Amino acid sequence: MLALLPSHGGRLLRRLGSGDGQAEYHLLEFSDAACFDAFQADPLRCALQPLLIASRAQARAVRVIIILAE
């Protein structure tokens, strides 16, 4: 799914894993909310959802804002 990001104004900022290897987290950035919504609704992404479900992996999107810039 990460390959779809550029076509929707998105990019991968960080790819993180838990210490036990059981979880992976992606910090993504999109140009605006409409780009994020378009990514979520992408036909290829939607078509591949059954594979995600079959893998028993969990995916959750959380919109966040930068509170303190470095």
Side-chain angles (χ1 to χ4, degrees):
M1 302 300 168
L2 296 177
L4 298 174
L5 290 171
S7 63
H8 295 290
R11 67 185 184 121
L12 176 65
L13 297 178
R14 293 271 190 258
R15 185 176 174 190
L16 308 165
S18 62
D20 63 7
Q22 296 296 309
E24 186 170 310
Y25 304 91
H26 299 159
L27 181 59
L28 309 176
E29 178 180 64
F30 288 88
S31 302
D32 55 39
C35 289
F36 174 75
D37 293 339
F39 171 73
Q40 291 286 88
D42 183 281
L44 179 57
R45 187 176 183 281
C46 293
L48 294 174
Q49 285 301 308
L51 293 177
L52 178 66
I53 293 166
S55 75
R56 302 187 75 177
Q58 295 179 14
R60 185 172 66 135
V62 179
R63 293 181 192 210
V64 299
I65 59 170
I66 296 173
I67 296 172
L68 178 64
E70 294 180 14

